[in-house]
Amino acid sequence: MAEDDIARWALKIEYDGTNYVGWQRQKDGLSIQTLIEAAASKLVGGRAVSSITAGRTDAGVHASGMVIHLDFPADAPINGRQIRDGMGYYLKPHPVVVLQAAPVSLDWSARFSATWRSYRFTILNRQARPALQENHVWHVKRSLDVDLMQEGANFLLGTHDFTSFRAIACQAKSAVRTLDVLKIHREGDLVLVDTQARSFLHHQVRNMVGSLVMVGSRQWPTEKMRDILQAKNRCAAGPTSPPDGLCLTGVGYPEDPFA
Amino acid sequence: MAEDDIARWALKIEYDGTNYVGWQRQKDGLSIQTLIEAAASKLVGGRAVSSITAGRTDAGVHASGMVIHLDFPADAPINGRQIRDGMGYYLKPHPVVVLQAAPVSLDWSARFSATWRSYRFTILNRQARPALQENHVWHVKRSLDVDLMQEGANFLLGTHDFTSFRAIACQAKSAVRTLDVLKIHREGDLVLVDTQARSFLHHQVRNMVGSLVMVGSRQWPTEKMRDILQAKNRCAAGPTSPPDGLCLTGVGYPEDPFA
C-alpha cells in the first residue's frame, strides 16, 4: 500500500502464549501474529492488514500489555471501539484480546518508537506442582532466598555487554544493553522477578532468571553474576528458564498513544 | 474400619475446579473428591480411603488452601511427604495437588473443627474478555465503583439471617450466619472481593457478589443491600454470580494442624 492509503493504529493486546509458536509467523504452528492479522483483516472485508510488534515473544511466553501497530486500509470505516471489540470477537476462541486501540501517525512505530519494555517472570517456589497456575509459572522446588537473588541481580543493573545472557541465535548487532530495573520479591509461594530496559536481547530475561535461581538456591555465590557478565560467554551463565513464567507486562513511549 | 484401625491425616490442597463437577462425588462427571480418594487409595495398595472436606465447593469453583482430612488404614507405612508427593503424582494430569499433610487425632475433623473459611472472588472489570485468566474471573463490562460496593457490603457484616442470599436448595437448618470480613478493592482491571466467616450458606458468596455488582454498577443504591437482608427472600437479591471467579483461600482451626 502507498503511505496515503494507510491508517495506522496502535493496539494494546493481552495473550496466553501457552499453545502458540510465539508472536512471529512460522512455517508450522499457529502464531499470535497470524491470529491478529487474520482478525484485523476480517474487520475490513478481507483486505490485508500488516502488523509490527514491540516485542517478538517466544513460544509459551505471555503478554498482559504488549503494544503493536496495524496498518489498515485508510478508506476502511473503523474506529477504536470497533477494532477492540470486533477483533476480540474474531479472535475467539483464542486467548488473545485487544485491550485498547488508538490512531497513530505513520512515523510512529510500536517497535522503533518504544523507549522501554517491562517483563514479569513468575516462579512457583514450593514442593507441589502448580494446579491453579499451570503454564504460567516456572516450578522450582529448591528453596529460594530472594535477598541473595536481589544481591546477585544488582550486578546486572546499568549498562553492560550481555553476551553471556543472550541466546546463541540472537541476531542483535550489539550485546550492550542498559538494564534499568531488576527487582525480586516474594509473595507467599511465588517469587516475582520484575525487569525493565529500553530493549532486551533474545532470551535475556529467561537467561538472567536461570542464573538468579542458581544464586537463590545457594548453588552459586552472588558475585558469580558479575563473573558471568565479564566472561562474555553464553556458556558461563546458567540454564535458560522455561518460557511459562514469562509475561510481557508493558511497553513505554515518549507519549502514551492510549492516554 | 474400626477407630483403632484408622490413621487420620489433615491435608491442605489446591485445585482448579474448571473441568470438574465440584468437590462432591456425583453420578455423572468427575469430582475432586473422587480424584483425591482414588489417589490416596493408590498410596496404600488400593485399600479404601475416605475423605471429609471443610467446604464442598461447587462445579467450577477453585481452591488455593482447602483443608480436608483422610482416614487411612493405620497399618499403612506412610508419612507426610509421601502423602504430599505421592498423591501429587497419582493425581496427574489433573490440576489437583496436596500442599501439606499432617497427622491429626480422630476427634479432629476438617469440617467440624474449622472456625473460619475464607474466599476470594475475582471480577475482571473491563471491556475485553479475559485472555490470561479465563475460567478464573467473572467478566463484568459495566464500570464498577468499589467504594459503593464496600458501602453496600458493610450492611452485610455481622450476624444476620442470610435467607435472601442462600440457594433455594440450601439444606442448612438455620440461615443465620456471622460475616466477619467482606472487603472489596481494585487492582488495575481486577475487582477483588475477600470474605471470611465461620461458615457460609450454599451460594452465599456468589449471591452476595451478584448483588454487590448491581450496587457497584449504580443499578441499585447501597442501602438496597440492607433491604435485601430484611426481605429474607432469595428473590429480593441479585443474580448468582458465575462460579469461575470464586476461590476458597483458607480454612482456620483453633490450632493450625500444619504449623
Side-chain angles (χ1 to χ4, degrees), chain A residues 14-16 62-64 84 88 91-92 94-99 126-132 136, chain B residues 14-16 62-64 84 88 91-92 94-99 126-132 136:
Chain A
E14 175 182 293
Y15 53 85
D16 182 323
H62 316 291
S64 60
R84 183 192 65 198
L91 282 160
K92 283 184 187 175
H94 300 284
V96 184
V97 296
V98 177
L99 303 176
R126 70 179 190 195
Q127 291 301 313
R129 63 184 162 83
L132 287 169
H136 290 262
Chain B
E14 175 182 293
Y15 53 85
D16 182 323
H62 316 290
S64 59
R84 182 193 66 198
L91 282 161
K92 283 184 188 175
H94 300 284
V96 184
V97 296
V98 177
L99 302 176
R126 69 178 190 197
Q127 292 301 313
R129 63 185 163 83
L132 286 169
H136 291 262

Side-chain angles (χ1 to χ4, degrees), chain B residues 192-213:
Chain B
L192 303 160
V193 182
D194 289 301
T195 187
Q196 186 179 307
R198 183 174 185 94
S199 66
F200 291 92
L201 298 161
H202 192 201
H203 283 185
Q204 186 182 345
V205 180
R206 289 166 58 188
N207 287 339
M208 292 192 303
V209 169
S211 290
L212 288 172
V213 161

Side-chain angles (χ1 to χ4, degrees), chain B residues 3-101:
Chain B
E3 291 228 334
D4 280 359
D5 302 332
I6 293 172
R8 183 165 290 179
W9 285 79
L11 274 67
K12 189 179 285 182
I13 65 175
E14 175 182 293
Y15 53 85
D16 182 323
T18 304
N19 295 315
Y20 303 91
V21 297
W23 167 263
Q24 201 154 14
R25 194 184 298 279
Q26 309 274 342
K27 222 171 33 189
D28 298 312
L30 214 46
S31 73
I32 307 296
Q33 182 178 26
T34 302
L35 295 172
I36 285 279
E37 291 182 357
S41 172
K42 281 188 185 161
L43 260 195
V44 293
R47 295 159 74 184
V49 178
S50 66
S51 66
I52 294 290
T53 181
R56 284 168 292 179
T57 51
D58 285 320
V61 174
H62 316 290
S64 59
M66 179 62 90
V67 178
I68 65 171
H69 76 245
L70 293 179
D71 285 342
F72 285 101
D75 59 354
I78 44 170
N79 61 38
R81 174 183 282 238
Q82 284 164 341
I83 292 174
R84 182 193 66 198
D85 298 344
M87 286 184 59
Y89 174 79
Y90 288 125
L91 282 161
K92 283 184 188 175
H94 300 284
V96 184
V97 296
V98 177
L99 302 176
Q100 289 178 282

Side-chain angles (χ1 to χ4, degrees), chain A residues 10-27:
Chain A
L11 275 68
K12 190 178 286 184
I13 66 175
E14 175 182 293
Y15 53 85
D16 182 323
T18 305
N19 296 315
Y20 303 91
V21 297
W23 166 263
Q24 202 153 13
R25 193 185 298 280
Q26 309 274 343
K27 223 170 33 187

Side-chain angles (χ1 to χ4, degrees), chain A residues 125-241:
Chain A
N125 189 214
R126 70 179 190 195
Q127 291 301 313
R129 63 184 162 83
L132 287 169
Q133 291 157 306
E134 219 184 329
N135 301 318
H136 290 262
V137 295
W138 180 21
H139 180 208
V140 174
K141 293 186 184 183
R142 292 163 285 169
S143 172
L144 295 176
D145 182 322
V146 293
D147 293 330
L148 289 179
M149 290 174 76
Q150 186 63 62
E151 261 184 58
N154 291 344
F155 287 109
L156 304 184
L157 287 173
T159 304
H160 304 282
D161 181 322
F162 282 94
T163 295
S164 297
F165 293 101
R166 72 157 154 179
I168 301 290
C170 177
Q171 287 170 11
K173 279 182 207 142
S174 162
V176 175
R177 289 292 183 276
T178 302
L179 199 61
D180 294 313
V181 176
L182 188 54
K183 277 192 188 151
I184 298 130
H185 77 283
R186 177 180 283 278
E187 290 180 12
D189 287 339
L190 297 177
V191 173
L192 303 161
V193 181
D194 289 301
T195 187
Q196 186 180 307
R198 183 173 187 94
S199 67
F200 291 92
L201 297 161
H202 191 203
H203 282 184
Q204 185 181 345
V205 180
R206 289 166 58 187
N207 287 339
M208 292 192 303
V209 169
S211 290
L212 288 172
V213 160
M214 296 296 283
V215 168
S217 58
R218 299 169 194 272
Q219 292 166 277
W220 286 353
T222 55
E223 298 75 21
K224 172 111 181 185
M225 296 303 286
R226 185 194 51 209
D227 301 342
I228 294 171
L229 263 186
Q230 288 172 353
K232 293 179 192 161
N233 178 350
R234 175 68 191 92
C235 301
T240 307
S241 59

